[in-house]
Amino acid sequence: MSVRQFVRNGPLWRVIAAEGVSVAGDWVLITAASIHVFRETSSTFAVSALLALAAAPTILLAPLGGTMADRHDRARLMVLSDAIIAAVLLAGTALAGGMLSLAIAYAAVLAAAASAAFHRPASEALLPSLTAPGELGRANSVLRLASRIAMIGGPALAGFLMSGNGFAVVMAFDAGTFLISAGLMVTLIGRRAPSPVEAHESALRAALAGWDYTRRRREIAVVTAAIAVTMVMGAIISAGTLAFVSEELDLPESRYGALLAVEGAGAVALAVAFILIGPRLNLLLTGTAALVATGAACASLGLAPSLAWAMGIMAVMGMGEVGLQVAFSSYLQQQSDDAFRGRVMSLVGMMAALGRLAGLAMAGPAVDFAGAPAAFAVAGLVIMVSALPVAGLAVSSGRRMPARA
């Protein structure tokens, strides 16, 4: 597929646009809900509980979401998940005031996360059928770029909406984003149905078959494990960076925002570079390099003597994050049989969510006991060690046929 064909691939761009709008809606909702809960309770614990609640459906519903993505029309599943959450949010606008406002905020976040547990596996499983195998890296790079922009713009938009309006207005706006996402996907319904799971097979049995498939495919299991390890260690870095800025660099906590902005800029820059590289991207070598770069950046962050050094390191970290997402998503999509692709991608999402929760639970004791520099050094070293099995895959793959985007 040439660059011109890629640009003119309407179905692919609709999936990318739908995913970008959906991610923006998620970030608008979770940010606005956090603001609303804190305004009502003045409790950090209440906000933390809200954020933890957002991760629960990814863990609990991922097996079912992946199974449905392999059993049903994937575009139809995306449309239904968006339409249902839009209806839930619109219904919630009528109840958002008064004593139920807090409960509605928690319920809205839970419902949106539950919707994403079905939408994301279907989207990721559908993507390879809409583009040539050699263009998967480019397609995922555009997708990550759209998602990153949504992650930047969503919270800013939520803050603007909450500054002069109530949470009900945000829910109504967010419902609109999901309806737009559903509208983008309607024309793809029936375009291509996945290989059906046996009709008599229960959802639980089908989900377990997906686990067994992932376990037996060594290349998929190795990459999934590397993602999980990175999420655990990355959560320690994320949770400890604010303390590092305040205690080690002796700077105002507001500088933490500057670090996050630079990290996002690094991610966007590498996503653009990957779009230009296109099919020349070697997925396993890129994933290995991204693991090493991310690990080295994490380990060196604690040694940064100034904000300028820390900003440079965070830019590398952002690049590493996008490198991992593009290379490993494309590789898993490429290596997974179509009949199991939804379950593989949902399992990866579940492992990533579990890893992040585990890392957040470890972060406080690790940073408090050992200090941010030591905790960051250990986390970075573990990420770099996780690159070794992936490098082994890259070498063995290179002896046969390199996995390219």
Side-chain angles (χ1 to χ4, degrees), residues 212-276:
D212 186 60
Y213 174 85
T214 301
R215 180 183 59 82
R216 288 186 289 105
R217 295 289 298 271
R218 177 177 174 270
E219 67 277 13
I220 296 176
V222 166
V223 170
T224 301
I227 292 171
V229 169
T230 303
M231 291 302 296
V232 174
M233 298 299 116
I236 295 176
I237 304 298
S238 297
T241 301
L242 182 57
F244 170 75
V245 170
S246 176
E247 297 172 8
E248 303 295 332
L249 295 181
D250 195 24
L251 293 172
E253 288 83 354
S254 58
R255 295 294 189 274
Y256 175 63
L259 292 182
L260 294 182
V262 171
E263 182 185 20
V268 169
L270 191 64
V272 171
F274 282 172
I275 292 169
L276 298 176

Side-chain angles (χ1 to χ4, degrees), residues 97 140 194 220 244 335 362-364 391 393:
N140 275 300
I220 296 176
F244 170 75
Q335 295 298 311
M362 295 166 55
L393 279 181

Side-chain angles (χ1 to χ4, degrees), residues 29-55:
L29 182 64
I30 191 67
T31 305
S34 300
I35 295 170
H36 179 67
V37 168
F38 189 77
R39 281 180 180 175
E40 294 294 320
T41 65
S42 299
S43 169
T44 303
F45 175 79
V47 176
S48 298
L50 178 76
L51 299 177
L53 187 67

Side-chain angles (χ1 to χ4, degrees), residues 220-238 290-292 294-295 298 324 328 347-360 362 375-390:
I220 296 176
V222 166
V223 170
T224 301
I227 292 171
V229 169
T230 303
M231 291 302 296
V232 174
M233 298 299 116
I236 295 176
I237 304 298
S238 297
L291 284 170
V292 173
T294 301
C298 290
L324 290 172
F328 287 162
L347 176 61
V348 171
M350 184 180 72
M351 295 298 292
L354 282 170
R356 180 164 178 79
L357 285 179
L360 291 174
M362 295 166 55
F376 290 1
V378 172
L381 179 62
V382 172
I383 292 174
M384 286 189 282
V385 170
S386 74
L388 295 176
V390 180

